[in-house]
Amino acid sequence: GGGGVVVGGDGSWGVAEGAELATHTRVTLAARHPVRFARQRPLGRDLHWWLQRTGLDTLPVGRFLRTPPTQVVIDDGRYRAAVAAGAPDLRPVFSAIDGTKATWTDGATEEIDTIVLATGYRPDLGYLRPLGALDCDGRPRHREGLSTTHPGLAYVGLEWQRSLSSNSLRGVGRDAARVVRRLVAHLDAR
């Protein structure tokens, strides 16, 4: 009753959910990083068309990236306008939650009814730690999806596994086919 909604997340899902919910109720978008927008249709074509046409979508640079670039919010202008208008209100992530009260980093408090977490995902592969298959940050030790510690172990869908699109519907199938071909070659060589 009477409190607002906090959407936690500064990526595409968080911004989209926040903007949609803000048409019905008071919403605060709690972001860990500044929201970076990319135009949906630069030069009259969809951004995904440009990424595919230029080869940037499939460029196998994932293994060279020590720190992958921050993901952007692909926007046709609606989300940027909604955030600029304060619906949703964009703030740094709250510093505390006590019951139905959120405390923000500037000390302000807000009554809330709901928290929606739209924070994306990270693989939880802790069960592979005893095998030595993960680095000290819990990320798979791999090269383009093939384990560098255990022949026959492979991954698909990892962020920047091979390219920008590796963890998306546009790229996971391509990466999976490549991984399967290499696994079959590994098994045939045994």
Side-chain angles (χ1 to χ4, degrees), residues 34-151:
V35 176
R36 295 181 51 216
F37 292 99
R39 289 179 42 213
Q40 173 94 33
R41 297 187 59 82
L43 303 174
R45 293 281 190 157
D46 188 86
L47 180 62
H48 299 292
W49 182 89
W50 286 110
L51 291 171
Q52 290 172 348
R53 186 60 57 128
T54 62
L56 292 174
D57 207 31
T58 58
L59 194 63
V61 297
R63 65 182 165 175
F64 302 112
L65 298 175
R66 292 190 146 260
T67 306
T70 304
Q71 295 289 340
V72 296
V73 175
I74 299 172
D75 181 28
D76 62 8
R78 288 179 295 161
Y79 301 143
R80 184 188 306 258
V83 169
D89 179 28
L90 179 61
R91 302 184 66 127
V93 174
F94 45 83
S95 57
I97 296 288
D98 182 16
T100 60
K101 188 189 315 183
T103 302
W104 301 99
T105 56
D106 63 3
T109 61
E110 177 180 354
E111 281 294 317
I112 58 171
D113 287 332
T114 306
I115 298 175
V116 176
L117 297 178
T119 55
Y121 66 92
R122 293 285 183 261
D124 182 8
L125 302 170
Y127 56 91
L128 295 175
R129 188 173 304 282
L131 300 176
L134 306 178
D135 66 17
C136 61
D137 294 322
R139 293 184 302 247
R141 296 178 193 269
H142 74 97
R143 182 177 173 121
E144 298 185 351
L146 295 177
S147 173
T148 57
T149 60
H150 292 76

